Amino acid sequence: MKLSWKQGLSVWAATTSCLLLAVWLRYYLTDNGFIKEPNQTYDYIVVGAGTSGCVLAAKLAASDSKILVIEAGGEPPWYSWIPIVAPILQGSEQYDWRFRTVPQKFAAGALHGNQAFWPQGKMVGGSGQMNFLIHATGSPSDYDSWKVPGWDSHTMKKALDRLTCWTKGIVKPFVARPSFLLDGESEMCSAPVLAENSTSCSENAQHFQCPSAAVKLQRVNATEKPLLKAFLDAGRACGHSVSEMDRWSDTGSFMASHNTIEGKAGQRWSTYQSHLMPAMKHYSNLHVLTKSSVTKLVWRRNKVIGIQYLDADGRIKHVKAGKEVLLSAGTIKTTQILQQSGIGPPHVLEPLDIPMKAELPVGENLQDHLQIPLFVELNASVSLNIVKMLHPRQFWNYMVHGKGALATSGIEGIATLTKKREDGKPSKPYGMLILFNMGSINADVYTSVANIKKEAFHRWFPKSSSLSQEGFVLISICLHPRSRGHIRITSPDPMQPPEIDPAYLSNDYDVQCSIDTIKEGVELLNTDSFRALGARVHWPTFPECGSKQGIDNQRYLECLVRMAALTMYHPAGTATMGHKDNPDAVVDPELRVRGVNGLRVVDASVLPRLPSGPPNSVLVAMAERAADFIINKH
Ligand SMILES: Cc1cc2nc3c(=O)[nH]c(=O)nc-3n(C[C@H](O)[C@H](O)[C@H](O)COP(=O)(O)OP(=O)(O)OC[C@H]3O[C@@H](n4cnc5c(N)ncnc54)[C@H](O)[C@@H]3O)c2cc1C
């Protein structure tokens, strides 16, 4: 292939910039606290350095206890800090667990073998190091619906508002509020609360200078992003409540996305960056061991007293926990470790001759959000595409100012949708729309990471071969799916992946809920703001769904959902938290495994029901609360 001089210059600039960026990030992110050999005993062992584990470990380290964090993966690659490249980590043997589901009966028609691929982060930072950076706090009613004492909407709101920040070794309460805009810029800084009624971040910043370790969010700015503006205007025209702030309410809202990106350098802001890294630099009582996979819990009668793991050279080793083992290995691996250690249902453990330690419904109640992406073509130059992203100016802008296309995740707008009930009042949010600003979609990358059949992909995204295509992806999500599946080990060998069956769309409610969300999304395109951009939705032409595509054909829409629903990457619920009398609960409200001493679970597996949005920030708040329970107990 012959390149023009302009393309050659772009490739040269891109390569040079990437190299410089790699050197700079390597220098910037060098840290200490990683160990090669652990001690024999620690007070607490945190299994997994993902979203939850990083928060938990950092908070516990401040309590003077001896902490070991043990992580199966290694340090994340330098490019994982650049927001736009998140999808590149999917499918990587080194950084992704690359789980896959069993063939789905009612869904995944466009995927090879009807099997969904489930990427999950295998590195320090966990899935939070490869996710799409959306910050969401869910709706207040989500927490009340859990019916778990101590986890009501009021307590969770407080926990979500008070994100912790480390400064000079002291834990300070921070509040993330829209009014805390730094110098009127689009960065929102979780600022220290000096006085109850203080309202400005800059005012606080004079005292605290908003320390770099604060939880940071970048709000997409509608005055700079015409596509987001069109989305918000369309929401308004369709009678929805609209806000540029992150307004996660029970009454639904169209809003600008707030993404976990550090605004100055334009970097991903995972809990590795916000919590673990500063704690590792500060506390010598915090050890982090990487490339070591926990295989089982070690018992003395009904008490967990340590862990067994395989080290980087594949040798079996043990470490003791004087106080507790805390499982934060993510929904799939936490479930596997519990079952492998004798905590689970008899029908799973008995056939494998695993001695039963606690009979609990571990692995049941598996749930996930499904997304249905539809491509919307535009005839105005307002979207991101490969040609624009590869322009040398973008690299320069990113390197020098931490801004531009590389400093975004592409997610610009979010809407939570409600319905009018019979009494005229709105329902609780049932669906979500995401505006993903991406005009050109790489067929090779997308089909391989999501397991999509090539033929189906081209019927779904017909203009994908054009690198300069204008358009966006409108993502529809049913927020509270009713389908429930399971995770089960099928071998006593801990290195064998478990059987994962989310039973996608096995409950018809989920299909109709997805259709209703799609319909609301497509309605937006008929408003003046989108018409002015020449918006035109591409209905996929799957032969299975007949020749009459479109919004008015219920049979087509049902078929579309069953063909084109993909994971939104939020598996949860398999070690569900509940009241002590709830037979479905695996952990109690303080996240202790029922009937077992010395063991807690702190990760997405304890969510009784998914929140109304992506769960990462909810898990941060949960891990912080869990650390408080633990510190108060000991
Ligand atoms: C591609 C993708 C996009 C997403 N986008 C968003 C988004 O935009 N917004 C949002 O809110 N959420 C998003 N999510 C979901 C969110 O990131 C996860 O829900 C969250 O990170 C889960 O946190 P966790 O602590 O439960 O597990 P994880 O963050 O997955 O951490 C588990 C850690 O445990 C380690 N581990 C596993 N097994 C072992 C073992 N045996 N021994 C030692 N260590 C082990 C893993 O390697 C990993 O580091 C996304 C997820 C993915 C995968």
Side-chain angles (χ1 to χ4, degrees), residues 293-604:
S293 231
V294 172
T295 48
K296 267 186 206 172
L297 303 169
V298 178
W299 297 85
R300 186 187 299 135
R301 288 183 290 280
N302 79 331
K303 183 173 170 31
V304 171
I305 55 162
I307 49 150
Q308 173 184 294
Y309 71 97
L310 287 181
D311 75 3
D313 300 319
R315 288 172 300 201
I316 296 181
K317 295 199 170 165
H318 298 91
V319 187
K320 282 192 189 146
K323 290 181 177 166
E324 292 190 23
V325 171
L326 308 161
L327 286 182
S328 298
T331 296
I332 298 142
K333 293 301 283 185
T334 285
T335 305
Q336 179 167 17
I337 295 168
L338 287 168
Q339 293 181 350
Q340 219 88 49
S341 309
I343 306 175
H347 65 92
V348 175
L349 305 192
E350 276 165 11
L352 302 174
D353 289 331
I354 295 176
M356 176 74 72
K357 291 289 189 179
E359 187 179 328
L360 291 169
V362 173
E364 302 303 310
N365 190 40
L366 176 64
Q367 50 200 291
D368 187 18
H369 282 138
L370 277 174
Q371 54 164 319
I372 294 109
L374 287 179
F375 187 72
V376 180
E377 185 183 345
L378 300 173
N379 64 13
S381 178
V382 290
S383 39
L384 272 183
N385 55 40
I386 307 241
V387 166
K388 286 185 200 170
M389 266 188 304
L390 286 181
H391 195 284
R393 194 177 51 227
Q394 294 293 353
F395 290 90
W396 178 254
N397 205 5
Y398 188 66
M399 293 287 294
V400 177
H401 306 293
K403 301 251 181 290
L406 305 188
T408 71
S409 66
I411 307 283
E412 293 192 353
I414 295 201
T416 53
L417 306 171
T418 57
K419 283 184 184 160
K420 252 207 187 119
R421 296 186 319 197
E422 275 174 13
D423 60 8
K425 291 188 181 146
S427 69
K428 302 282 186 272
Y430 73 93
M432 170 176 278
L433 295 168
I434 294 182
L435 171 74
F436 180 35
N437 184 344
M438 196 53 70
S440 39
I441 297 163
N442 186 294
D444 290 335
V445 173
Y446 206 43
T447 50
S448 79
V449 299
N451 197 30
I452 301 173
K453 294 174 197 161
K454 275 260 164 71
E455 147 94 12
F457 181 85
H458 291 301
R459 292 179 173 279
W460 199 343
F461 298 104
K463 299 238 167 148
S464 60
S465 53
S466 162
L467 303 185
S468 56
Q469 180 63 44
E470 291 291 335
F472 67 94
V473 181
L474 182 65
I475 296 176
S476 303
I477 299 160
C478 172
L479 283 174
H480 299 294
R482 295 186 188 162
S483 303
R484 293 290 181 271
H486 65 254
I487 296 176
R488 288 176 194 154
I489 53 168
T490 55
S491 156
D493 176 359
M495 300 323 275
Q496 290 298 319
E499 174 185 289
I500 301 173
D501 184 1
Y504 280 141
L505 305 179
S506 54
N507 189 312
D508 288 342
Y509 166 84
D510 301 355
V511 180
Q512 192 54 45
C513 166
S514 307
I515 291 175
D516 292 346
T517 312
I518 294 172
K519 283 185 171 173
E520 292 250 22
V522 172
E523 200 183 311
L524 300 175
L525 307 178
N526 292 327
T527 57
D528 288 349
S529 52
F530 274 121
R531 266 198 233 110
L533 301 176
R536 190 172 72 84
V537 67
H538 281 206
W539 292 108
T541 55
F542 302 129
E544 293 85 343
C545 300
S547 55
K548 202 165 161 269
Q549 297 99 22
I551 197 83
D552 301 321
N553 185 345
Q554 172 72 12
R555 277 191 53 204
Y556 169 77
L557 291 174
E558 268 180 44
C559 174
L560 170 70
V561 170
R562 294 201 188 274
M563 290 289 289
L566 301 173
T567 177
M568 190 65 197
Y569 323 103
H570 305 157
T574 49
T576 195
M577 139 171 97
H579 191 273
K580 66 178 175 15
D581 301 325
N582 178 353
D584 297 331
V586 170
V587 299
D588 72 10
E590 294 207 355
L591 310 184
R592 292 171 293 219
V593 177
R594 290 167 67 206
V596 175
N597 288 327
L599 181 64
R600 282 182 221 242
V601 178
V602 187
D603 61 22

Side-chain angles (χ1 to χ4, degrees), residues 39-303:
N39 299 338
Q40 283 188 340
T41 308
Y42 290 83
D43 293 317
Y44 300 102
I45 299 174
V46 179
V47 180
T51 295
S52 316
C54 288
V55 175
L56 197 56
K59 276 204 83 175
L60 291 176
S63 71
D64 271 351
S65 305
K66 293 195 168 49
I67 319 288
L68 173 67
V69 180
I70 180 161
E71 166 56 46
E75 285 184 69
W78 62 269
Y79 50 84
S80 68
W81 299 103
I82 307 172
I84 198 73
V85 302
I88 290 180
L89 287 146
Q90 290 185 31
S92 142
E93 237 174 89
Q94 204 177 347
Y95 303 114
D96 178 4
W97 284 94
R98 304 199 303 167
F99 293 114
R100 45 207 60 189
T101 69
V102 298
Q104 294 299 288
K105 258 197 206 151
F106 308 104
L111 310 188
H112 289 287
N114 293 69
Q115 279 184 291
F117 279 10
W118 275 15
Q120 292 286 294
K122 186 182 185 183
M123 59 193 136
V124 181
S127 301
Q129 198 65 36
M130 68 180 335
N131 71 15
F132 291 125
L133 303 141
I134 303 170
H135 164 75
T137 59
S139 309
S141 60
D142 293 342
Y143 309 107
D144 293 328
S145 79
W146 290 356
K147 298 192 173 66
V148 182
W151 292 92
D152 53 280
S153 52
H154 180 70
T155 327
M156 276 305 279
K157 181 172 183 331
K158 254 177 38 195
L160 285 160
D161 277 351
R162 284 179 178 273
L163 299 173
T164 301
C165 170
W166 297 84
T167 163
K168 297 193 178 120
I170 306 163
V171 184
K172 295 258 178 213
F174 279 74
V175 168
R177 282 198 211 133
S179 48
F180 290 164
L181 292 177
L182 258 189
D183 307 321
E185 288 214 343
S186 60
E187 180 184 73
M188 188 169 83
C189 173
S190 298
V193 186
L194 296 180
E196 261 308 295
N197 55 2
S198 79
T199 50
S200 117
C201 181
S202 340
E203 179 192 309
N204 291 324
Q206 282 165 13
H207 299 276
F208 284 86
Q209 302 205 327
C210 287
S212 60
V215 172
K216 291 186 171 185
L217 300 172
Q218 197 179 56
R219 176 167 60 94
V220 184
N221 194 334
T223 49
E224 291 166 8
K225 302 280 182 184
L227 199 46
L228 171 62
K229 187 173 178 312
F231 180 73
L232 298 179
D233 287 347
R236 214 172 275 118
C238 292
H240 298 280
S241 122
V242 175
S243 167
E244 276 205 42
M245 300 306 173
D246 62 334
R247 201 152 282 166
W248 295 89
S249 70
D250 273 335
T251 47
S253 182
F254 274 59
M255 49 199 148
S257 188
H258 287 60
N259 300 324
T260 47
I261 295 172
E262 194 278 331
K264 292 220 163 60
Q267 267 182 32
R268 168 184 294 277
W269 204 248
S270 67
T271 56
Y272 176 27
Q273 178 80 301
S274 64
H275 287 75
L276 189 66
M277 205 183 278
M280 284 169 77
K281 287 192 170 131
H282 205 272
Y283 298 110
S284 56
N285 55 328
L286 172 61
H287 288 175
V288 182
L289 179 67
T290 55
K291 300 194 177 157
S292 300
S293 231
V294 172
T295 48
K296 267 186 206 172
L297 303 169
V298 178
W299 297 85
R300 186 187 299 135
R301 288 183 290 280
N302 79 331
K303 183 173 170 31

